[in-house]
Amino acid sequence: ADRVRGVPWLHAGVSRLVTLGWLVWWGGLVAVALATMVDVAAPLSCPISQASCPTPTGEGLLAARRVHEVASVVVGVGWVAAQLGAFTHTWLPAHGRRLWPVTRVLTPPVLGLSVVYGLAAGPLDHLGRWHGAAQRLHLLALLVWFLGIAVDLWRHRHPRLVA
């Protein structure tokens, strides 16, 4: 950290990356929330992977399926963006170790799992196997990540109790 401060242009660049990381972290979470609300507003009548699910016919059913697909992609990209932002914000600066210790440790494995899940979700859904199990594992990892963020935020709010 001291070496970065000694080179003004490098310090300014790292500082901008840290700020960008913060914006991408929380912006990604907002994108996930908004896309999830859109997805809930346009539910599918049955899972696409279910063999007995009829092929959609008519403008309304096709539109609902497209809205669901786009919302799902936005959610997946939003998760990865949020985790990349969190990684950038907590790993680059020296204060990341001090202010976000739990998030800093949890973000890399959860980011890796999110990328693997994002790449595997489509094929698993198409095969009709293991998609539900993979989705629940991903949601469990996200829950642990959010609990880590909550612990760090609580520590910011109550520093006397942590010390």
Side-chain angles (χ1 to χ4, degrees):
D2 289 335
R3 283 183 259 158
V4 170
R5 280 192 203 114
V7 182
W9 63 268
L10 186 57
H11 178 68
V14 169
S15 181
R16 283 189 187 102
L17 273 176
V18 169
T19 301
L20 179 64
W22 177 263
L23 293 173
V24 170
W25 179 1
W26 297 102
L29 293 179
V30 168
V32 166
L34 292 175
T36 300
M37 288 190 289
V38 167
D39 198 24
V40 168
L44 295 177
S45 57
C46 64
I48 296 169
S49 60
Q50 187 176 344
S52 62
C53 188
T55 303
T57 56
E59 295 288 323
L61 292 175
L62 285 172
R65 186 166 282 189
R66 295 297 170 243
V67 166
H68 176 75
E69 289 170 354
V70 169
S72 295
V73 168
V74 170
V75 166
V77 171
W79 282 130
V80 172
Q83 292 155 12
L84 278 172
F87 180 82
T88 302
H89 187 74
T90 61
W91 278 82
L92 280 180
H95 78 269
R97 281 184 222 92
R98 191 178 73 252
L99 298 178
W100 299 98
V102 179
T103 305
R104 186 175 196 269
V105 169
L106 291 175
T107 297
V110 173
L111 172 59
L113 183 65
S114 291
V115 169
V116 168
Y117 173 70
L119 295 173
L124 289 174
D125 194 37
H126 182 70
L127 292 172
R129 303 182 131 201
W130 299 106
H131 182 259
Q135 185 179 50
R136 279 147 188 86
L137 177 66
H138 183 236
L139 290 173
L140 178 63
L142 291 172
L143 171 67
V144 171
W145 186 61
F146 274 114
L147 290 173
I149 293 169
V151 166
D152 285 338
L153 289 171
W154 186 84
R155 290 177 73 246
H156 292 311
R157 187 87 172 138
H158 305 285
R160 291 186 316 269
L161 298 176
V162 176

